[in-house]
Amino acid sequence: MKKIEIFLAVVICILSFSSCAPKDEYDEKQIFAMDTVITIKVEKGRGDDVFDGCAGIITEAERIFSRTLEDSEVTRFNTSNSEAEYDSALDDCSAPFVELIEKSLDISEKTGGAFDITIEPLVELWNITGESPEVPDVSYINNALVYVGYERMYVEDDTVYRYGMVKIDMGAIAKGYTLGMLCDYLGALGVKYANISFGGNVGLVGSKPSGGKWSVGIKDPDDTSSTVGTLTLDGGYVAVSGDYERYFEKDGTRYHHIIDPFTGYPAQTDIRSVAVVCDDASLADGLSTALFVMGYDKALAFYNAKTYDFEAVFVTDDGVYTTEGIKDSFQAK
Ligand code: ADP
Ligand code: MG
């Protein structure tokens, strides 16, 4: 997809996520950052107090987690060793960088490597969101796979170490992390209610102004202007990963942006999209990517193992399924 198509797809996504409430109950601001559209809706009358602060949090997060900004912390990490044979480290790392790397490594370990921020060489190679993406030659994929593996990194205090060449891409978790920061900020400032939509992640703060619970529509991957159903929630976070937002097609095959760290190809899975519901925003984001890679059977076994506390809605090739703990909160269409 071209940039403008991605932009429109994201806007449509945001629309389908909006929790229907009269506009005059909210102050609203839209920000384009982290390669996506962020829509922040807060308690009427509080926008002037909080929107600048929200923009500051987003700018700061980009300065840390962007893979494309020249002086971001991720870029500094990625460019500070290009020699494959040397082990190295980046020290004096910021607290958010260290925290999110540690969390990412934990999710990798617990998901058996389905989620892996060392995926960067493959993301760069596939360049799905580039101007004219192509299917890479298998020899390039195999070469990139050599450098993928979360076991090749570890953290001590404010230093991030790596064995040989390791490059990271935090695109599957940084949006969720930033969303969590925004919601914490609004909560700390006593904003009574807010609803933030952040590139496939939604954060719900406080109680819905018009009463009742929040509703979050789950998009239909085959018709993104429509939904497969609605989640009704008290609050928390919903993160969605799917094959329909960022992809290109070649010879009838869809090559999307979620890569299987074991094969080096876009994950071949029976899941079209998965929405994770969780009280932890970055965990929700990371897990939605991991569950997508796992496929339905493995994802369900992972849920049943209770490694993390979350619920999920799966849109699969043969129907929509929810995990046990959320089945009464999902209304299929
Ligand atoms: P989105 O960014 O569209 O919300 P995700 O949260 O699922 O979707 O993140 C997908 C992004 O994460 C990709 O664009 C890529 O940058 C990176 N990524 C791709 N595959 C993986 C993976 N297996 N583990 C971690 N990150 C990944
Ligand atoms: Mg994710």
Side-chain angles (χ1 to χ4, degrees):
M1 283 202 290
K2 295 206 176 65
K3 283 231 161 75
I4 183 68
E5 289 171 307
I6 292 167
F7 181 84
L8 289 175
V10 171
V11 170
I12 291 166
C13 161
I14 303 299
L15 289 178
S16 76
F17 263 132
S18 61
S19 310
C20 321
K23 203 175 158 57
D24 60 11
E25 291 176 337
Y26 292 100
D27 285 347
E28 182 173 332
K29 185 175 177 71
Q30 263 194 8
I31 296 175
F32 188 81
M34 298 177 95
D35 217 14
T36 197
V37 180
I38 304 157
T39 305
I40 305 171
K41 294 192 203 169
V42 298
E43 178 191 351
K44 189 82 194 160
R46 296 299 307 272
D48 286 347
D49 306 344
V50 300
F51 286 149
D52 284 352
C54 289
I57 288 170
I58 293 165
T59 304
E60 182 58 20
E62 260 197 316
R63 271 180 5 91
I64 297 170
F65 299 116
S66 169
R67 192 172 67 87
T68 48
L69 276 187
E70 239 172 58
D71 60 348
S72 76
E73 217 159 336
V74 163
T75 303
R76 278 200 287 126
F77 181 83
N78 286 347
T79 53
S80 61
N81 87 325
S82 50
E83 302 288 335
E85 59 267 38
Y86 297 114
D87 298 343
S88 61
L90 187 70
D91 49 22
D92 283 334
C93 295
S94 69
F97 186 69
V98 167
E99 185 194 336
L100 202 56
I101 298 255
E102 280 183 323
K103 189 161 210 164
S104 297
L105 296 179
D106 184 62
I107 297 174
S108 293
E109 207 171 286
K110 294 191 171 134
T111 60
F115 174 88
D116 194 331
I117 55 170
T118 68
I119 201 83
E120 204 276 348
L122 286 161
V123 173
E124 212 176 306
L125 182 62
W126 279 93
N127 194 19
I128 302 271
T129 51
E131 281 302 311
S132 45
E134 289 286 341
V135 179
D137 192 90
V138 67
S139 62
Y140 288 114
I141 290 180
N142 289 336
N143 188 44
L145 272 172
V146 171
Y147 301 107
V148 175
Y150 67 92
E151 311 88 340
R152 297 156 55 82
M153 291 179 72
Y154 65 98
V155 178
E156 258 176 33
D157 302 322
D158 64 356
T159 303
V160 182
Y161 294 87
R162 77 199 123 192
Y163 303 114
M165 193 192 79
V166 174
K167 289 185 173 188
I168 56 171
D169 173 346
M170 305 190 76
I173 194 163
K175 289 194 283 287
Y177 180 84
T178 311
L179 174 64
M181 299 281 286
L182 290 171
C183 291
D184 287 350
Y185 168 74
L186 295 177
L189 287 185
V191 169
K192 287 205 191 82
Y193 54 87
N195 172 343
I196 305 179
S197 171
F198 199 132
N201 298 267
V202 176
L204 306 167
V205 177
S207 315
K208 198 174 157 187
S210 48
K213 298 190 177 198
W214 299 97
S215 16
V216 178
I218 303 298
K219 274 181 26 167
D220 180 348
D222 287 324
D223 173 9
T224 50
S225 62
S226 175
T227 63
V228 294
T230 304
L231 274 169
T232 307
L233 301 169
D234 288 323
Y237 300 96
V238 183
V240 182
S241 289
D243 70 2
Y244 54 86
E245 273 166 37
R246 294 171 197 235
Y247 65 90
F248 69 94
E249 274 171 344
K250 185 86 195 252
D251 302 330
T253 303
R254 177 176 292 201
Y255 297 95
H256 57 75
H257 71 315
I258 302 174
I259 295 174
D260 183 331
F262 297 100
T263 66
Y265 283 81
Q268 296 277 325
T269 162
D270 54 353
I271 296 177
R272 300 292 317 281
S273 83
V274 50
V276 171
V277 181
C278 184
D279 286 341
D280 176 329
S282 43
L283 183 59
D285 196 3
L287 283 183
S288 69
T289 309
L291 300 184
F292 185 94
V293 171
M294 287 180 192
Y296 182 64
D297 289 346
K298 276 194 188 158
L300 197 60
F302 180 75
Y303 168 79
N304 286 326
K306 299 279 172 227
T307 312
Y308 289 119
D309 193 9
F310 72 95
E311 302 294 335
V313 179
F314 300 94
V315 183
T316 74
D317 288 336
D318 58 10
V320 181
Y321 303 98
T322 70
T323 51
E324 194 55 30
I326 211 169
K327 65 179 196 304
D328 296 335
S329 309
F330 182 72
Q331 184 67 53
K333 205 164 148 187

